[in-house]
Amino acid sequence: MIKGQIEAIKKHADEYVIGVVTSRFNEVVTSKLREGALEELNEVGVTYFDVSVPGAVEIPLAAQWLIESKKCDAVITLGAVIRGETSHFDYVCNSVERGCTELQLKFNIPVVFGVLTTENGPQALARAGGAKGNKGKECAQVALEMLALSRELKR
Ligand code: INI
């Protein structure tokens, strides 16, 4: 994220509410994504509401409830769908992706997609604080960058 954008959001941190929805399926992975995201949000100091759902398919509805009830300015969605262990991998991936994309356009706010879709467990773990970084932390940065952009373009 560009340095000026972090400063812009830090300065106005008290104006923002962010929702975080984490699915518990493959929790070894998703708990690490959540940790990475919350660490970033705590550092900036924004208010957040942090909820969990059973699986990735449940994420869009919980995100919608958060947006409506808590007036969130952005939502971060976190999950892990692993092909090797899922016969209906494609259905789960398509369902959560479609739901999140529709939500962000319907509500005109960022709904950041942090659902890992990998071939196997090690690939997912590598992206949850391992060799390939932490997708949860990256998603929190994306949410903050988009809020900074919305300050420029939307309001
Ligand atoms: N949900 C996931 O988040 N990841 C998975 O890998 C997964 N698999 O393997 O099936 C999964 N399934 C559950 C699904 O998200 C729903 O919770 C369930 O279908 C009930 O709606």
Side-chain angles (χ1 to χ4, degrees), residues 108-123:
N108 201 27
I109 66 164
V111 176
V112 183
F113 193 67
V115 179
L116 296 174
T117 57
T118 63
E119 295 298 318
N120 53 49
Q123 284 178 356

Side-chain angles (χ1 to χ4, degrees), residues 1 7 16 24 33 37-38 42 46 57-58 69-70 72 83 101 115 124 126-127 131 135 137 147 150 154:
M1 186 162 49
E7 294 316 312
Y16 291 111
R24 294 188 304 276
L33 299 177
L38 297 192
N42 283 326
V46 289
V57 169
E58 285 69 43
S69 66
K70 304 298 180 192
C72 293
R83 188 190 292 275
T101 301
V115 179
R127 290 159 178 77
K135 186 76 175 169
K137 186 180 172 79
L147 289 176
S150 85
K154 252 177 77 179

Side-chain angles (χ1 to χ4, degrees), residues 15-155:
E15 295 174 28
Y16 291 111
V17 176
I18 296 187
V20 181
V21 184
T22 307
S23 61
R24 294 188 304 276
F25 208 103
N26 296 315
E27 198 166 15
V28 182
V29 175
T30 64
S31 61
K32 295 201 167 79
L33 299 177
R34 175 177 170 272
E35 265 171 43
L38 297 192
E39 199 181 293
E40 190 70 18
L41 298 181
N42 283 326
E43 199 180 310
V44 172
V46 289
T47 299
Y48 57 82
F49 289 95
D50 170 35
V51 301
S52 76
V53 292
V57 169
E58 285 69 43
I59 288 175
L61 184 57
Q64 176 161 309
W65 288 341
L66 270 176
I67 295 166
E68 289 175 343
S69 66
K70 304 298 180 192
K71 311 276 177 265
C72 293
D73 300 289
V75 179
I76 298 163
T77 65
L78 303 171
V81 193
I82 299 176
R83 188 190 292 275
E85 295 153 24
T86 317
S87 55
H88 59 311
F89 176 87
D90 292 324
Y91 294 107
V92 174
C93 293
N94 290 340
S95 170
V96 60
E97 185 282 327
R98 195 181 62 241
C100 291
T101 301
E102 281 177 7
L103 272 187
Q104 70 175 343
L105 297 178
K106 175 178 166 191
F107 287 98
N108 201 27
I109 66 164
V111 176
V112 183
F113 193 67
V115 179
L116 296 174
T117 57
T118 63
E119 295 298 318
N120 53 49
Q123 284 178 356
L125 282 169
R127 290 159 178 77
K132 304 256 181 193
N134 187 315
K135 186 76 175 169
K137 186 180 172 79
E138 286 166 26
C139 285
Q141 290 168 345
V142 169
L144 297 169
E145 178 172 340
M146 290 301 286
L147 289 176
L149 185 62
S150 85
R151 286 194 80 78
E152 277 176 52
L153 302 181
K154 252 177 77 179
R155 305 166 182 212

